[in-house]
Amino acid sequence: MSRALLPGLLAALARALRACAWALAALVVTDAVLPAGPRSLLLPVNSLVSQLMPAPMSGLFVFQTPFEGAFRGDFAIVAIVLLVLDWICCRVSASLR
């Protein structure tokens, strides 16, 4: 029974990872494009995401953009890692079916 349940659990984990990755990607874009005024509304969200990240990664590759925003490279790297983990979970789930 647990062998039959594993592909479904991996598929659910893959969907959760994908949703988190796309949310981080959207946060990277909004941080990069929005000027300082409206971006200040995202400070609590940025703070929460920074706290959830591994300490050595937090604040890494942060660059100012021409749009008066900031490109958060640390968020972008974590989003890419989450998408890779999503892909791995999908592959393993498909191979177990």
Side-chain angles (χ1 to χ4, degrees), residues 22-96:
W22 285 111
L24 268 177
L27 187 60
V28 168
V29 170
T30 55
D31 281 341
V33 174
L34 289 178
R39 196 177 62 238
S40 66
L41 298 173
L42 291 175
L43 284 177
V45 177
N46 286 333
S47 175
L48 175 68
V49 172
S50 292
Q51 290 175 356
L52 295 174
M53 288 187 149
M57 189 77 152
S58 185
L60 197 63
F61 303 120
V62 177
F63 302 106
Q64 187 174 1
T65 64
F67 305 111
E68 300 177 9
F71 175 77
R72 296 291 308 252
D74 51 351
F75 291 0
I77 291 170
V78 171
I80 291 169
V81 168
L82 289 175
L83 284 172
V84 169
L85 290 173
D86 161 45
W87 178 79
I88 290 170
C89 286
C90 286
R91 295 286 295 198
V92 171
S93 174
S95 71
L96 291 175

